[in-house]
Each structure stands twice: as C-alpha cells, then as structure tokens.
Amino acid sequence: MGLQSCIGGTTLQTLKLASIPTLSSSRLVSRPVQLKALTLDFFLLSRHGRSRRSPFPLLARALSAPAIAFQTETPPEEKGNAVLKPQWKAAIDFKWIRENKEAVAVNIRNRNSNANLEAVIELYDKMSDLQKEVERLRGERNAVANKMKGKLEPSERQRLIEEGKNLKEGLVTLEEDLLKLTDELQQEAQCIPNMTHPDVPIGGEDCSVIRKKVGSPPQFSFQIKDHLQLGKELDLFDFDAAAEVLSLFNLSGSKFYYLKNEAVMLEMGLINWTLSEVMKKGFIPLTTPEIVRSSVVEKCGFQPRGANTQVYSIEGSDQCLIGTAEIPVGGIHMDSILAESLLPLKYAAFSHCFRTEAGAAGAATRGLYRVHQFSKVEMFVLCKPEESDLYHEELIKIEEDLFSSLGLHYKTLDMASGDLGAPAYRKFDVEAWMPGLERFGEISSASNCTDYQSRRLGIRYRPSEPSSASPKKGKANLAPPRFVHTLNATACAVPRMIVCLLENYQQEDGSVTIPEPLRPFMGGLEIIAPKSR
Amino acid sequence: MKGKLEPSERQRLIEEGKNLKEGLATLEEDLLKLTDELQQEAQGIPNMTHPDVPIGGEDCSVIRKKVGSPPQFGFQIKDHLQLGKELDLFDFDAAAEVSGSKFYYLKNEAVMLEMGLINWTLSEVMKKGFIPLTTPEIVRSSVVEKCGFQPRGANTQVYSIEGSDQCLIGTAEIPVGGIHMDSILAESLLPLKYAAFSHCFRTEAGAAGAATRGLYRVHQFSKVEMFVLCRPEESDLYHEELIKIEEDLFSSLGLHYKTLDMASGDLGAPAYRKFDVEAWMPGLERFGEISSASNCTDYQSRRLGIRYRPSEPSSASPKKGKANLAPPRFVHTLNATACAVPRMIVCLLENYQQEDGSVTIPEPLRPFMGGLEIIAPKSR
C-alpha cells in the first residue's frame, strides 16, 4: 500500500494528550497500519497503484494556458468631494434591465428586495439623454477647434474663440451632472438583486423545497447530551475562559471559544481531509488574507457598513475582516480578463472567518452553533456562463458526498426566492440532523451567483472561438470579453461539523466515535474518551 | 453614637461624623488618583533580568548554540520569492489589490506545507505533554495590555476593531495568557503546558525596507505557540526545556541555525530572559529570526492575576479551616514559538532548492503532506 510506505513507526501511544490515559502499546503494535499523528493523507489515490508523478495533474491543465492578462484598471479620478460617491462601479447591464423590466420587477418582489426599479430606469434614461447631449457638445467643440486651424479673419477668429469658450463651460457643467447621475444610478442599481433560476420555489423560508434526504436520525437507547455538555465532559472546549478574555457577561452566550485536546485534532482532521478530498476533484488549494479592503466585501455583495452588519471593520482604515473566504478569493481575479482555456477555475480556500452575528441571539445560538470566529474550507468556481448550472450541481454533489462519507443524516434544500441573498441566482443549503439540538441545522450553502459578483469585481474572460471568416491579424477577430459566472460552496464549516459529529456519534459511556474517513487525518484516533481523573 | 447620649452631645458627634466623612471622601478620591498615577508609572517598569543575560544593545547578544552549516550550492540560487513565483506557491500581487501590501495567498503545495508544518509541530509538542489549543483571535484590549503589549501606542503592532475595545491578536500568547486570568490554580495543575495554534495579525507599522520582502514580514500568519505556567522556582528549568524543544524541531528539519541569549537592551519589557533562534536563509544571505522563547517570570501573571495555591502542609498538625492554607503566589509564565509558518517556508524553500528549480521536502514533514517528497515545477 502506497500509504504505508510513507508512514513512520510512531505509534499513537506517543500522542500523549495531557489528561488522556496512556493507550497500551500492545494493542497498537498488533495493528497493521500505524499512522503518525495527524497524517495528511492527501494521496489516498496512491493506494491504487498510481505512480508518483505530478500530484496535480489537473493543475497542469490550468497552468498550461497563456498567462492571465491582468488588466488592472485604476479607478477613475473622482472629481469633487461627494460623501456618498461609490468608490467603484458595477458593470450593470442597464439596457437589459430596461428591456426586461417586467421580469426584473417580479423578481424584486419575489425576493422581498427594497430595490427601486423605477428610479433606476428613470435615472438611466436621464443619463442616456445627458450622455447624448454631452457628445453633441463635444462634437461641436471639436468642429470649432478644427475651424480655428484654418486661415481666418481676426473677427471670425474672435467669434470662434468665444463660441469655443462657451461650449467648454457648458460641457464642464454637463459632465459634472453626468458624473452625479452616474453615481446615483450606480447606487440605486446596485440594490437590484440577481435574477432567479426558473426552478427556484417562490416565497418565504417555508417554501424551500427538499431536493434530497440522506440517512435517518440515529436511535439512542440512552439519554443523549448536546455538544456543549459533551464538550465540557470531554474537556474539548472552553467558552467561559473565552468570555472572560472577551469580558462578555453572558457566559453561556459567549460566542468565542477555545478548542482543546481532541477537538483541535478534530478541527485539523476535518480541514485536512476536506482539502484532500476536494483537491482530488481538481480544486486548487489556497489560504487567503483575512483582512481585506471594504470595497472588495461590497463587490461580493455584502454590506460592511450597514446596520446589523455581519462584518468587523478595522479601526483607522478601510479594511475589514472576512466572513468567508468567498471574498478574498473573489478578489483574486478582480479587474481581469481571463483566457477561456483557464476556465473553469476551481479553488478550495481555507481561512478563518469572522462574523459579528449582530442581531442573532437566543438558545439556538448556544455553544458552537453560532460563533464569531471559525475555520472553513470554501469552494469557489469561476466558469463560463453556460456552465454555471452544471457546476452548481457539481458543487452540491461534492458537498453531499462529503457529508455522506461522514455518515451524517441530512437534507438538501432548494432555497426559496425570499431566502436567497442578493447575489444568488440559486442556492442549495444542506441541513444536518443535530440530535442534541433536536433539529436540523445548516452546515453548508452552495450558491450560483451567475454574473452578479463578476460584474462588480470586474472579472471577464476572452472567448477563444475563431471567427467564421479566415483568421486575420489584429484584434478584429477577437471575441469581446464576457463576464464569468461565479459560484461558492461550503466544503466544511468546522464548528457546525463538530456539533454534528459529537452529537451523532456519542456513546452511552460518554465517549464519541470518530468517523472512519477522518481517522487517518487524526493519527488513527478512533474514539474521544472521557479522561480519567 | 450607638449609646445613650445627651441631645447636644449627639449633635456634636453628628457634626464630627459629617466632617470626618467629607474629609474621607476627599482623601479617598486623592488615594484613587494616586493609585492610578502609581499604576501608570509603575507599569512602565520592565521585568528584572536574569544574571546571565549579557548587558548591552542588540550586538551584545551571545550565541548559546550553533547547529549545522550553510548548505553549499553548485548553482545560482534563488530567494523564496522567486522560487514561490516559479513554483506557483504564492500570490502577493492579487493580495496587494484585495488587502494591501504584506498580504499574500498561499497556493498549491505551499498550502500543504503550511498544514504539514502545523500538524507536525502540534504532533511533536503534544508528545512532550503540551495541551493542544486553538484560540480566539479577537480579544479585549485590556488582555493585550496585561500581557505587556501596547495596543494603542504610536507605531502599535496591534490592529483594533472599530467601535469596540477589541483587538486582533499578534500572537497566541495573549489569548492563552488570558485563559487563567484572575484565578488561583491548584499547585497540582502546574506546570500547565499549552501548544496553541492561531492566526496572528501584526500591523508592522514602522517596518520597511528590503528585509521585509515576501514572506519575511507579513501582516497575517499562522503560528504554533508554546505557553507554560509554572511555579517560580521552575521557570528557568522550563525556559531550558522550551528552547531545547525548539532546537530539536529545527534540527529535525535540517536547518542551520544559531540560538542567541538576547542582550538586556533587546528584551521586551515582560521578558526576564529571551532566547532567539535565527536560521540561515540563503536567499536573503543572512540569518533570520524564526523563533523566540521568553521567560516572563511574574510580569504577566501579576497583570493577568494568575496565582497558584502552594499545597505544602503546615509544620503543625493539620487543622480545619483556612489557617493552614499557604497564601497564593504568582505563577511564572513562559512563551516560545514552536512554528511561525511563513519564516519556516522561507527557510525550507531557500535551503532545499535544487538546481532544476524544485524544492525537496524534509523527511519529518512528508507523512504530514501525504508523502509528498518534492515540490516540482509545473509542466507547461
């Protein structure tokens, strides 16, 4: 077995956790496979006799394309000093909105959005008229300038100079107005939510439809505990100390925590296993900055400065903490035109995530279920528009396979129109059974954002189809760039997974069994047992 | 005033009582003010210094130990930035757009290297009895101060969260130090040895120049930090244990390094004694700090309020009640870097580069990277 050839001889016994009773060496020596603690088993493939060539065959394809043309556009210099000036512009297709205003209006209603479609169309029309006027004036000014080049009578010249001056002043005013209109239009138009997939159920949260249901709730013949109690008895987390360190008076409601002992191994095991699994599917592993500019947060469709914002801001700067790796990954190809051969670009990003959870309170937020900081592996895909539905299906399949491997009982929901975030064209949520909470809890979310984010982040690709005519030199034959579609999906949100695993795999004696797939990533650990005192 | 009094006598006493009360209020206010002033000044006093610490500036630091020698290369070597670019391991440019300079994405094998380093390090120090932890990375600024840092000073290293008294941690030393704040621990619990994995955030305000290129100085990085709470008489011992653990880790990875006993002018205020390890970084053509081990004695514990109850029985026969309990004493705290990932990546890439542009993975890390032995250039 390829696996064994790379494993050292260290037995689990040497993994002495401070308060865990020593495992007897004889029990382990008899086992054929002795795994070093916290082995990262990325290449289970090697077990099937695959030769040790490049571990990233799929990467080779992504990288063999011509280099990415980074077209970094510097933001236009903002004249004047407008407080509400947006710092960036979304490339919104106003013409399309106007031509499809009925559908857009219905969509806004279905999503309970506050967007003001009438205002957008009105502003757009005004702006178009103003633009025509500006162009007309510019044309006249150029005509005057041309006339001045020839031989002229002094009086004629003087008259033209006057005319030129008036035109110039008029233009300046109009151009200022145009800028203001453009900004207003942007502000209104950015509120318009993404369109909606035709199969999405219309309505509120309760209209979401179950696409798939896997497994069934485990039957316990004893009084079960919730993850908080299990964690306390197994010395796996500490919320109280965290509450002190953060001086929150409601100790049981504290949303910060320390993980300890096997819970740390569980977190590392979950992350490593998840990364390993999605890398096999061709995802490029990444770690990302967790501090980003607030404009990037906005371009992804979040509101860093809104009331009840989920976003932490850094004092004295325009930076924020990320709530999900979707944001820094979305930013990687900002303002770029990608070669078509690079698509699809599939990233699996590991990061810590920070959320204020402002406005979230109550029993459903006890323990690890809702916290301010957590580790997550996020999948992010950039693809051609015609392929996004396909990759949405692929992403949800990957998630379902991961959760099935861990033996979880879960259901996949097609979220209703009222429950989609503004960026999502369609969203699948997976809710897993959490026996201690006695209900299903969301463990992942997979969204197809079509071109909502890419129009804001400025991510396009150059289609490489040859034109029908014979190939000529020059740009004439290059197809115009199109906006990519982006998708994001949670591969593993660690605290929710820990809740699931602890509550579902608890035993009568208070221990917790580790699901098989995770064991090689936890040094072979099979069970989290109560510590002897 | 409790007894039987003549009305005039009672009146006189009431007057006297009132005057005394007013006088007291004033004096108590003055006392509070003085206490605050005293605290402010006294907190400025640095920790005492171990007698063996060399006195002087940075250049007075003494080499305690030197291990290995610089690798000899038969070809033109590259620095980690160039290696990273050619092997598609990091992206600084995209991060500069998204976040600012000194931010980065790790990609491909660099992610595996980070995970491998962390997992291997945790595994190694757990064998030595350290309790593994992950910690909050947002903490109250008072905890930062109690550990001896200055969150609000000019050129502060600390990021603050807008609209709150919270900060981002620059090291797990802070949230771990905070675990036992304002507590009295049973002596039998000591020594308490934690190995905490966290992301760390530093503004690096005031740090500039070529020495800060690439991964050498960044705003965000992963680190495994060892933190020990022990009895005062044992802290020198644990300081030696911590530096030994660090040296064993770096030797296992085949690094060429030197351990320095830092001079008095180079100790942070909390440190009684500090050992730094500097590893040879061929691409930078110099030694660079990869870890630091400090014995803070009771500097942090006096601020964090961490004490223990000695359990020696009194000489007399045991009696009931508190009379026989020894008074609580402040613990000593120590902290030491087990693994600061970016600096380790610099070391590994630069030291293990091959002529063909690939990088060999040191043996101990391979099982933690799925058996990966080499980071090879991607075929085009």
Side-chain angles (χ1 to χ4, degrees):
Chain A
M1 277 208 318
L3 235 189
Q4 273 178 305
S5 66
C6 65
I7 303 303
T10 315
T11 66
L12 192 55
Q13 181 187 11
T14 57
L15 223 195
K16 266 205 183 80
L17 296 170
S19 36
I20 291 181
T22 315
L23 300 165
S24 71
S25 53
S26 58
R27 182 165 83 88
L28 289 170
V29 160
S30 60
R31 291 180 49 186
V33 176
Q34 291 167 0
L35 296 166
K36 231 179 189 150
L38 300 174
T39 302
L40 272 188
D41 199 7
F42 282 122
F43 299 103
L44 287 173
L45 289 170
S46 63
R47 262 204 283 206
H48 301 287
R50 218 156 124 175
S51 60
R52 281 270 170 78
R53 53 189 169 81
S54 164
F56 296 89
L58 291 174
L59 275 178
R61 172 174 146 244
L63 293 162
S64 61
I68 295 172
F70 272 98
Q71 187 182 315
T72 320
E73 297 157 9
T74 46
E77 290 309 307
E78 306 281 34
K79 295 199 183 83
N81 185 25
V83 170
L84 294 168
K85 241 184 205 315
Q87 295 173 295
W88 51 273
K89 295 203 178 18
I92 294 176
D93 193 344
F94 299 108
K95 259 172 77 180
W96 186 92
I97 290 177
R98 201 143 156 287
E99 284 160 13
N100 295 275
K101 60 185 264 209
E102 305 307 325
V104 175
V106 166
N107 188 52
I108 287 174
R109 244 193 343 266
N110 288 339
R111 284 163 172 268
N112 297 324
S113 158
N114 290 330
N116 188 346
L117 181 57
E118 289 307 319
V120 171
I121 293 178
E122 199 185 306
L123 285 167
Y124 175 64
D125 287 341
K126 261 202 218 158
M127 198 194 77
S128 305
D129 292 340
L130 192 50
Q131 215 150 22
K132 289 201 194 93
E133 185 63 17
V134 165
E135 265 147 44
R136 192 182 66 79
L137 277 183
R138 281 192 188 139
E140 280 186 32
R141 190 193 59 184
N142 289 342
V144 168
N146 279 336
K147 277 196 209 148
M148 305 237 292
K149 288 186 184 151
K151 218 162 67 162
L152 297 162
E153 289 291 332
S155 59
E156 180 69 13
R157 182 166 289 277
Q158 191 53 40
R159 193 184 61 80
L160 283 176
I161 287 172
E162 283 296 321
E163 197 180 333
K165 203 166 128 215
N166 290 335
L167 285 171
K168 182 171 167 184
E169 284 172 17
L171 251 178
V172 166
T173 314
L174 284 188
E175 279 167 345
E176 273 176 31
D177 290 344
L178 187 58
L179 265 170
K180 266 200 228 124
L181 258 181
T182 312
D183 288 344
E184 272 192 78
L185 176 56
Q186 267 292 314
Q187 218 161 344
E188 289 296 339
Q190 280 181 24
C191 296
I192 298 178
N194 203 356
M195 294 307 287
T196 308
H197 190 291
D199 293 350
V200 167
I202 310 298
E205 202 178 322
D206 39 302
C207 295
S208 301
V209 158
I210 299 181
R211 278 173 49 101
K212 186 172 188 163
K213 206 159 184 177
V214 170
S216 51
Q219 297 303 309
F220 295 100
S221 54
F222 54 93
Q223 180 79 15
I224 60 163
K225 305 168 186 167
D226 73 0
H227 71 278
L228 259 180
Q229 194 184 351
L230 287 160
K232 194 165 185 168
E233 293 175 5
L234 294 168
D235 200 21
L236 296 178
F237 8 99
D238 194 336
F239 279 84
D240 295 340
E244 288 303 312
V245 168
L246 284 115
S247 201
L248 301 164
F249 295 111
N250 181 10
L251 295 190
S252 63
S254 162
K255 297 193 184 73
F256 283 101
Y257 56 97
Y258 296 80
L259 292 184
K260 296 174 70 171
N261 296 321
E262 293 96 327
V264 176
M265 299 171 68
L266 201 43
E267 161 154 338
M268 304 304 296
L270 278 163
I271 292 162
N272 290 322
W273 171 72
T274 303
L275 274 175
S276 157
E277 288 294 297
V278 301
M279 278 166 65
K280 289 181 199 168
K281 306 265 163 69
F283 285 75
I284 299 168
L286 284 184
T287 66
T288 78
E290 290 156 8
I291 295 179
V292 297
R293 298 185 207 272
S294 57
S295 58
V296 182
V297 179
E298 288 163 6
K299 290 175 185 180
C300 290
F302 300 90
Q303 317 267 357
R305 314 239 166 220
N308 268 6
T309 179
Q310 278 280 16
V311 181
Y312 284 102
S313 292
I314 303 286
E315 199 178 89
S317 86
D318 70 341
Q319 294 170 320
C320 312
L321 295 182
I322 62 170
T324 162
E326 175 191 340
I327 297 170
V329 177
I332 292 178
H333 299 292
M334 275 198 312
D335 302 318
S336 310
I337 302 179
L338 309 172
E340 183 176 2
S341 53
L342 272 179
L343 304 178
L345 259 178
K346 294 155 73 171
Y347 292 113
F350 166 54
S351 79
H352 289 183
C353 304
F354 301 90
R355 302 188 181 186
T356 65
E357 299 295 352
T365 65
R366 253 166 60 90
L368 286 177
Y369 192 80
R370 195 174 299 279
V371 287
H372 288 302
Q373 172 192 321
F374 59 98
S375 297
K376 180 164 67 65
V377 179
E378 182 82 1
M379 296 181 282
F380 194 93
V381 177
L382 300 96
C383 66
K384 292 187 292 183
E386 46 275 22
E387 292 179 347
S388 59
D389 280 337
L390 191 99
Y391 286 113
H392 200 198
E393 294 292 334
E394 180 177 309
L395 286 169
I396 191 62
K397 173 95 179 29
I398 291 174
E399 288 183 351
E400 289 167 348
D401 287 347
L402 288 170
F403 306 142
S404 294
S405 307
L406 294 179
L408 299 181
H409 165 44
Y410 63 88
K411 55 185 180 179
T412 307
L413 301 163
D414 199 344
M415 303 309 284
S417 59
D419 224 21
L420 300 173
Y425 175 70
R426 192 177 197 186
K427 187 159 90 92
F428 300 141
D429 277 8
V430 177
E431 298 188 356
W433 180 247
M434 300 178 176
L437 287 169
E438 286 171 274
R439 63 178 182 82
F440 284 91
E442 182 190 325
I443 56 169
S444 86
S445 190
S447 298
N448 179 0
C449 298
T450 62
D451 63 357
Y452 185 97
Q453 293 179 326
S454 60
R455 283 178 177 275
R456 287 156 174 73
L457 292 162
I459 310 177
R460 294 179 294 169
Y461 77 101
R462 175 91 59 191
S464 53
E465 315 92 77
S467 79
S468 40
S470 60
K472 297 201 202 96
K473 279 213 177 88
K475 275 205 181 142
N477 267 15
L478 281 178
R482 301 170 65 202
F483 286 100
V484 300
H485 277 198
T486 64
L487 302 96
N488 64 79
T490 324
C492 179
V494 171
R496 298 265 171 110
M497 294 302 281
I498 291 184
V499 172
C500 279
L501 295 179
L502 291 181
E503 296 189 353
N504 280 288
Y505 286 105
Q506 61 182 296
Q507 309 298 319
E508 186 159 12
D509 64 358
S511 62
V512 174
T513 326
I514 311 283
E516 287 266 2
L518 294 179
R519 295 179 185 183
F521 295 84
M522 294 174 62
L525 188 68
E526 293 178 357
I527 205 161
I528 304 177
K531 326 282 185 272
S532 49
R533 292 190 164 273
Chain B
M1 306 234 292
K2 292 188 184 151
K4 217 159 71 161
L5 296 165
E6 293 288 332
S8 59
E9 180 71 10
R10 183 168 289 277
Q11 190 54 39
R12 192 183 64 79
L13 283 176
I14 288 171
E15 284 296 322
E16 197 180 334
K18 199 163 132 222
N19 290 336
L20 286 169
K21 182 171 165 181
E22 283 170 17
L24 252 178
T26 317
L27 285 187
E28 277 167 348
E29 271 173 37
D30 290 344
L31 187 58
L32 265 169
K33 264 199 233 128
L34 259 180
T35 312
D36 287 345
E37 273 189 75
L38 175 58
Q39 265 297 310
Q40 217 164 343
E41 290 296 340
Q43 280 182 24
I45 298 178
N47 202 355
M48 295 305 287
T49 309
H50 190 291
D52 294 349
V53 166
I55 309 297
E58 199 178 323
D59 39 301
C60 294
S61 302
V62 158
I63 299 180
R64 275 173 51 100
K65 186 171 186 162
K66 207 159 183 178
V67 170
S69 50
Q72 298 302 312
F73 295 99
F75 55 93
Q76 179 79 16
I77 62 163
K78 304 166 187 167
D79 73 358
H80 73 277
L81 261 179
Q82 193 182 353
L83 287 159
K85 193 162 188 174
E86 293 174 5
L87 295 168
D88 199 20
L89 297 177
F90 8 101
D91 193 338
F92 279 87
D93 295 337
E97 291 299 315
V98 172
S99 309
S101 70
K102 298 200 187 73
F103 284 100
Y104 57 98
Y105 296 82
L106 291 184
K107 297 175 70 170
N108 298 319
E109 291 98 327
V111 176
M112 299 171 65
L113 201 44
E114 161 153 340
M115 305 302 296
L117 278 163
I118 293 163
N119 289 321
W120 172 71
T121 303
L122 274 174
S123 157
E124 288 294 299
V125 300
M126 279 164 65
K127 290 180 201 168
K128 307 265 162 71
F130 285 74
I131 299 168
L133 283 184
T134 65
T135 79
E137 290 156 9
I138 296 179
V139 296
R140 239 184 141 213
S141 57
S142 58
V143 182
V144 179
E145 288 164 4
K146 289 175 185 182
C147 290
F149 299 89
Q150 316 265 1
R152 312 240 166 218
N155 268 5
T156 179
Q157 279 280 18
V158 181
Y159 284 101
S160 292
I161 304 286
E162 198 178 271
S164 83
D165 68 342
Q166 294 171 327
C167 311
L168 296 182
I169 62 170
T171 161
E173 175 190 339
I174 298 169
V176 177
I179 291 178
H180 300 291
M181 273 200 312
D182 301 317
S183 310
I184 303 179
L185 307 171
E187 184 175 9
S188 54
L189 272 179
L190 304 179
L192 260 178
K193 294 155 71 171
Y194 292 113
F197 166 55
S198 78
H199 288 183
C200 304
F201 302 89
R202 302 189 181 185
T203 65
E204 298 296 349
T212 66
R213 256 165 59 88
L215 287 176
Y216 192 81
R217 196 174 297 279
V218 287
H219 288 306
Q220 173 192 322
F221 59 98
S222 297
K223 179 163 69 62
V224 179
E225 182 82 0
M226 296 181 284
F227 194 95
V228 177
L229 300 96
C230 67
R231 293 180 304 161
E233 46 274 20
E234 294 179 333
S235 59
D236 280 337
L237 192 99
Y238 286 113
H239 200 199
E240 294 292 335
E241 178 176 312
L242 286 170
I243 191 64
K244 173 91 177 32
I245 291 174
E246 288 183 353
E247 289 167 349
D248 287 346
L249 288 170
F250 307 142
S251 294
S252 307
L253 294 179
L255 299 180
H256 166 44
Y257 64 87
K258 53 186 183 180
T259 307
L260 302 164
D261 199 345
M262 302 309 283
S264 59
D266 225 21
L267 302 170
Y272 176 70
R273 193 177 198 186
K274 188 159 90 93
F275 300 141
D276 278 7
V277 177
E278 298 188 354
W280 179 246
M281 299 179 175
L284 287 170
E285 287 172 273
R286 61 178 183 84
F287 285 92
E289 181 189 328
I290 56 168
S291 87
S292 189
S294 297
N295 178 1
C296 298
T297 63
D298 62 357
Y299 185 96
Q300 293 179 327
S301 60
R302 284 179 176 276
R303 286 155 175 73
L304 291 163
I306 310 176
R307 295 181 292 169
Y308 76 101
R309 176 91 59 191
S311 54
E312 316 91 75
S314 81
S315 43
S317 58
K319 296 198 201 100
K320 280 213 181 86
K322 274 203 181 143
N324 266 16
L325 283 175
R329 302 171 65 204
F330 286 101
V331 301
H332 277 199
T333 63
L334 302 96
N335 64 79
T337 324
C339 179
V341 170
R343 299 265 170 110
M344 296 301 282
I345 292 183
V346 173
C347 281
L348 296 178
L349 291 180
E350 296 189 354
N351 280 287
Y352 287 104
Q353 61 183 297
Q354 308 299 317
E355 185 157 15
D356 64 0
S358 63
V359 174
T360 326
I361 310 283
E363 287 265 1
L365 294 178
R366 296 178 186 184
F368 296 85
M369 295 175 62
L372 187 69
E373 293 174 5
I374 206 160
I375 302 177
K378 323 281 183 285
S379 47
R380 289 191 165 274

